[in-house]
Amino acid sequence: SCAAAWPPLLTETDPTGPDSVAAGLGTTTRTDGSLQVTYNGMPLYYWVKDQAPGDTTGQNVGGVWFIVNP
């Protein structure tokens, strides 16, 4: 159920973002060979209940999920 609620943020290229976070962006190879985006070495995920750009309802879910905040 966790993977359904928090799908990984995947990419096929080097990730990019605003200057305030770009230096921390990277990737890690998952066991299936796909590339998951990381921030300061931590894997990034989507929150399935966020439906539009700017939605942040995943902030602090369960006291362990936090949004990358530039």
Side-chain angles (χ1 to χ4, degrees):
S1 64
C2 186
W6 295 98
L9 175 58
L10 301 176
T11 186
E12 294 181 358
T13 62
D14 290 335
T16 61
D19 290 344
S20 55
V21 297
L25 293 174
T27 60
T28 188
T29 303
R30 295 173 54 88
T31 57
D32 65 1
S34 62
L35 288 178
Q36 184 169 0
V37 179
T38 61
Y39 182 68
N40 290 337
M42 301 296 293
L44 298 182
Y45 298 86
Y46 290 102
W47 172 234
V48 73
K49 293 184 181 179
D50 285 346
Q51 299 296 311
D55 285 354
T56 59
T57 62
Q59 175 65 12
N60 202 27
V61 169
V64 296
W65 297 97
F66 299 95
I67 296 168
V68 173
N69 186 357

